[in-house]
Amino acid sequence: MRWPLALVVLVGSGCTCLFNPDRVGLPCDPVVPPPLDIVAGEGTSLTFEWPRDPARDDITEYELCWGATSCRKVQPRTCDAGQCATRVDGPDAGFRYNERVEARVTMKNQCGDVSAPSTASATPLNGTFIDTQGIEVISRCDAGIRVLSPGELTFDQNAFLCVSTAMMGDEQWRDATIDLEVRIAQGDALGGIGVRAVRDGGDTAPRNGVIVTASPNGSASAYLTRRVALNATDGTDVIAATAVPFVRGNDWEAMRVSVAGEWFSVELGDDTLSRREVMRWRDRSTPRPGRVGVALGTIFGGGRIDVRNLRVRTSASIPDGGSDRDLFTFSGANPLRGIRPVGNGVTPAACPPFTGPAPDAGCLEVTMNGTATVEAPIGLDYNKPWRVRFKYGAELAANGPSILRTTVVAPTPAGLNGFSGFSLIDAAGVNWALPLRAFEDNANGLGTLTPGTWNVFEVAFAPGSNDYTISRNGMVARSGKQPPGLSQHLGALQLGGGAQRGYFADVEILQDP
């Protein structure tokens, strides 16, 4: 009598577990929506991707939908290597360049449970470059685009100190992973990727660019730029971060820019397999959405770039960690490791027998107007305390020499200051007659430099309070606040400059513990 009574109670309670044959003996784990990713760049077509968990044998189907009513069923067995990918042909689906497509994906298990939707959105982008449809050139220096060879977009201009962009998509692109191949084809051009570009606002509208150059003339070979407003109607693109990877002239370079929240990561290589991260930067302003596309910069005159195979993914991740210190001894099999010589006056050399604390290894000789840019370690966080220290000595003859300089924007970002950096330690006048200066300020003296002697310099930065301390030969020579407007991210650091014959040794850049 107890069993019939129990059955009556179960039926009366609405329980169907004894009466649904489809669920008997089946594992019914919760269904969690997989993250949806969209890849744009194949004309008006879009590719939708999401992961498939090989351990979930109970998943029977996925449903991909876009727009109001269009859907497609996807069977798990058609997903290779744990990844599902579905390409939706743009003309058939009615997709159009620069018009946003909202999409969602759900998963269903063998018990009939359907997950909540995972969503993403994107705009079709012309990354195949068969033509120039859907691309808008934003320039104030007569830049232009054309297709000379199918699949390659040519972008050129003839102007002094100008950054132009060829933009695509709407202004709702936020986090993204952008892949592109770029060839620096002519002149002192800098080419690469434009991102987070806002249309409204004219020459003061925000935007970022990641551009590289094969020219040997600049202090760096890779630049991350941002546009700042100079006044109510005029703005300029200034350098926010730099690096010194080797860039081949008139050959294809594979570039990847990942943008996630405040962070940017830049990878570069001869091809996709050899790409390495060369720059990481944090945008301390409020992250904003914007369009994506191609960027072209010229500093000294005209230039041309070619680009191909642009693809933009709606997800992004920023690498974590990496070395936060590096030591340059200018010795061994590769004495110029991590060094970009600019001009003919930069060579590894034996250290001269100056008086004072002798170098531990080799020296870098910088003569005339030559400079050497030192690559900062990729894991260095400029938002935390860090320092640079080195030994330096010089001969008598000098004219306005610089010892240590940034490669990012100066405090007043007008004209060349936007692309020429700012001295941290230098001297005015000739032959070291005047005291060394800190941050180009005559009132912030560091004492005179005696030619023929070794000096140990250390510059420590405390970004949280914007303080700095410069020590010379173990004694604090100057401390105070950095100039207003000088970025916390000082980029790769430049040694030398101005007419001099100086020697650098034991250069170390490191994060404070």
Side-chain angles (χ1 to χ4, degrees), residues 81-132:
Q83 184 80 0
C84 299
T86 296
R87 184 178 186 273
V88 177
D89 185 71
D92 292 344
F95 297 161
R96 295 179 177 85
Y97 282 132
N98 309 330
E99 293 185 6
R100 187 149 290 263
V101 176
E102 305 285 343
R104 58 198 180 277
V105 66
T106 58
M107 60 189 293
K108 184 168 73 172
N109 65 14
Q110 60 190 351
C111 299
D113 301 323
V114 179
S115 72
S118 180
T119 62
S121 68
T123 58
L125 304 172
N126 184 356
T128 55
F129 304 128
I130 302 302
D131 51 40
T132 60

Side-chain angles (χ1 to χ4, degrees), residues 3-47:
W3 280 105
L5 180 59
L7 289 174
V8 169
V9 172
L10 288 172
V11 172
S13 67
C15 177
T16 61
C17 57
L18 298 179
F19 300 95
N20 186 350
D22 293 334
R23 299 181 68 98
V24 175
L26 296 179
C28 294
D29 293 335
V31 281
V32 179
L36 178 61
D37 208 2
I38 306 177
V39 181
E42 301 176 278
T44 58
S45 300
L46 294 172
T47 297

Side-chain angles (χ1 to χ4, degrees), residues 398-419:
N399 188 355
S402 175
I403 296 177
L404 183 66
R405 187 180 184 89
T406 77
T407 54
V408 300
V409 60
T412 305
L416 275 173
N417 281 346
F419 270 79

Side-chain angles (χ1 to χ4, degrees), residues 193-219:
I193 292 169
V195 67
R196 289 185 171 172
V198 179
R199 177 185 283 111
D200 295 336
D203 289 336
T204 65
R207 68 180 179 188
N208 293 104
V210 178
I211 48 182
V212 299
T213 183
S215 169
N217 298 321
S219 59

